[in-house]
Amino acid sequence: MVAAPEMPKTNVPGTADMDWENLGFEYRDVNSHVKFTFKNGAWDEGEMVKDPYVKVHIANTALHYGQSVFEGLKAFHGKDGSVKLFRPDENAKRIRASAERILMEPPPADLFIKACKMAVKANMEYVPPYGSEGALYLRPLLFGTGARIGLQPSDEYTLLVMAIPVGNYYKGGFKPTTAVVIEDYDRAAPKGVGAVKVAGNYAADMMPNMLAKQAGYPIGLYLDAKTNTLVEEFSTSNFFAVTEDNKFVTPDSPAVLPSITNKSLMQLAEDEGMVVEHRPVPFDEVSSFKEVAACGTAVVMTTIKQIVKGGEIISINGGSDETGPVCQALYDRVRGVQAGELEDKFGWMMPV
Ligand SMILES: Cc1ncc(COP(=O)(O)O)c(C=O)c1O
């Protein structure tokens, strides 16, 4: 934990005492977080809370039964000086879907977006300045806080929104990496909860993820749990590929989390004139792809040069160490829109 220095609030992005060029992706104390409570059938007005510790009932349903869902999104300081959130309406929809799937109270979309804006406004000096390539990462967290001991949903929920300044992972340009297919574990069952962002999915992934890293692979790829023949997604990011005939392909599966980054890339690919195929992707097809990448909010995309499965190495585009032109162009467009350097053609950026 890195404690933030006490300092006067300025409300100006980039004025906190931070090493903006070397933020990385780690927890940091900031001014405060947002807290909304659902109790007696209604959401309260919400408040800013300074104390990063949360006091909860010993019998809360989040810790006992996993009634906990979360989101991840970013606010950017743009070229024109304004601070905007990237597609918070999409995160609002997704947290509602996650909550509904495990019988939690879904926060209304406008309440969720208001909470995100409050978190940014209260921590404005922690928004990394334009040019540093960083962002203010928001982590909305919704969990059951009512006391229950038999298995049943809580009647009380807490929605928190944490804000953390994070850096750009790819300051020096991005190089493709090697992924490994996780063969000994499944991430999510077809009729399970893989398509929503429930905390338990990440507990399930911790061991396989760690084993992949220990074996020297920075990123693990899951196949479908039922047949083990279809590509699903990486631990915390979606899979997409570019075919030899320049189509954008990404798996359609009931167990994959619908990534907002992927949705945006599909829209941009279409806008670039590419055919977009959202369909089952047999693993056997992977060797024919000319570009492969993982995509998600944290880094937009990680390009992949090789995928290892058992003893076999599948090379993408001959295992080239250069990021392919389609991935590079799509990455540049997303980052350009986020930084306010390119036209926000689809209205993705929301002022706080
Ligand atoms: C399992 C999983 N898939 C995909 C993603 C990427 O989603 P997004 O682009 O909305 O960040 C994430 C991260 O949120 C994730 O945890």
Side-chain angles (χ1 to χ4, degrees):
M1 184 164 119
V2 183
E6 283 292 333
M7 50 173 197
K9 265 193 71 56
T10 65
N11 279 324
V12 178
T15 53
D17 185 16
M18 295 264 134
D19 180 5
W20 300 111
E21 302 303 320
N22 296 293
L23 285 173
F25 193 86
E26 61 182 284
Y27 177 78
R28 289 167 196 277
D29 274 336
V30 291
N31 294 330
S32 53
H33 65 266
V34 176
K35 181 182 178 193
F36 278 81
T37 306
F38 180 86
K39 206 173 176 174
N40 301 323
W43 288 97
D44 70 3
E45 291 300 306
E47 58 179 329
M48 299 306 310
V49 180
K50 192 169 171 52
D51 184 1
Y53 290 88
V54 182
K55 191 172 173 187
V56 288
H57 194 280
I58 191 171
N60 76 77
T61 59
L63 291 179
H64 291 261
Y65 301 128
Q67 266 202 317
S68 176
V69 302
F70 68 100
E71 273 304 325
L73 67 160
K74 285 178 172 176
F76 297 89
H77 186 215
K79 193 179 177 191
D80 67 357
S82 67
V83 173
K84 292 178 178 165
L85 285 159
F86 184 72
R87 311 195 77 175
D89 46 325
E90 290 292 332
N91 297 91
K93 273 191 241 165
R94 193 168 64 185
I95 201 169
R96 287 180 57 79
S98 300
E100 279 163 5
R101 176 63 180 82
I102 58 170
L103 292 185
M104 297 171 67
E105 181 65 28
D110 55 353
L111 182 145
F112 176 87
I113 291 169
K114 179 180 166 191
C116 290
K117 289 182 177 179
M118 282 167 69
V120 178
K121 283 184 188 148
N123 294 292
M124 207 47 117
E125 50 273 73
Y126 289 96
V127 178
Y130 171 73
S132 71
E133 299 270 313
L136 190 70
Y137 178 73
L138 299 187
R139 171 57 68 84
L141 174 68
L142 175 71
F143 55 107
T145 30
R148 291 275 192 251
I149 209 59
L151 179 61
Q152 55 178 311
S154 174
D155 57 353
E156 203 180 301
Y157 293 90
T158 299
L159 171 68
L160 305 178
V161 184
M162 286 159 50
I164 303 164
V166 297
N168 179 6
Y169 195 70
Y170 297 127
K171 275 195 305 263
F174 62 119
K175 292 275 176 217
T177 189
T178 300
V180 66
V181 174
I182 295 168
E183 295 191 271
D184 295 339
Y185 301 90
D186 293 318
R187 174 183 173 274
K191 294 180 188 173
V193 289
V196 289
K197 209 164 165 64
V198 300
N201 284 342
Y202 298 84
D205 177 49
M206 257 186 216
M207 185 191 281
N209 189 13
M210 205 49 66
L211 290 172
K213 290 206 166 75
Q214 280 168 4
Y217 302 107
I219 183 163
L221 176 65
Y222 286 99
L223 303 184
D224 75 295
K226 194 169 179 182
T227 71
N228 272 261
T229 60
L230 304 170
V231 176
E232 290 228 310
E233 65 175 324
F234 299 96
S235 286
T236 57
S237 46
N238 273 185
F239 176 104
F240 76 87
V242 180
T243 62
E244 275 299 336
D245 56 354
N246 222 40
K247 288 177 182 153
F248 182 105
V249 175
T250 190
D252 184 17
S253 157
V256 165
L257 186 77
S259 151
I260 295 159
T261 312
N262 198 5
K263 184 174 182 177
S264 310
L265 293 171
M266 284 190 254
Q267 210 166 336
L268 291 175
E270 226 160 51
D271 194 54
E272 299 282 339
M274 293 175 76
V275 171
V276 172
E277 291 183 350
H278 189 202
R279 57 156 169 89
V281 177
F283 184 75
D284 286 347
E285 195 182 340
V286 169
S287 58
S288 72
F289 294 143
K290 65 174 185 182
E291 296 184 38
V292 168
C295 64
T297 296
V299 294
V300 181
M301 70 176 75
T302 301
T303 48
I304 309 289
K305 63 175 176 180
Q306 286 176 329
I307 301 180
V308 176
K309 183 169 185 280
E312 199 191 349
I313 299 176
I314 295 143
S315 293
I316 309 300
N317 192 24
S320 167
D321 276 320
E322 295 303 319
T323 282
V326 176
C327 284
Q328 186 69 57
L330 292 174
Y331 177 83
D332 290 345
R333 266 195 83 179
V334 171
R335 291 291 301 121
V337 170
Q338 290 175 336
E341 291 163 352
L342 294 179
E343 185 202 353
D344 181 14
K345 193 168 173 180
F346 303 108
W348 288 340
M349 305 304 292
M350 186 185 287
V352 297

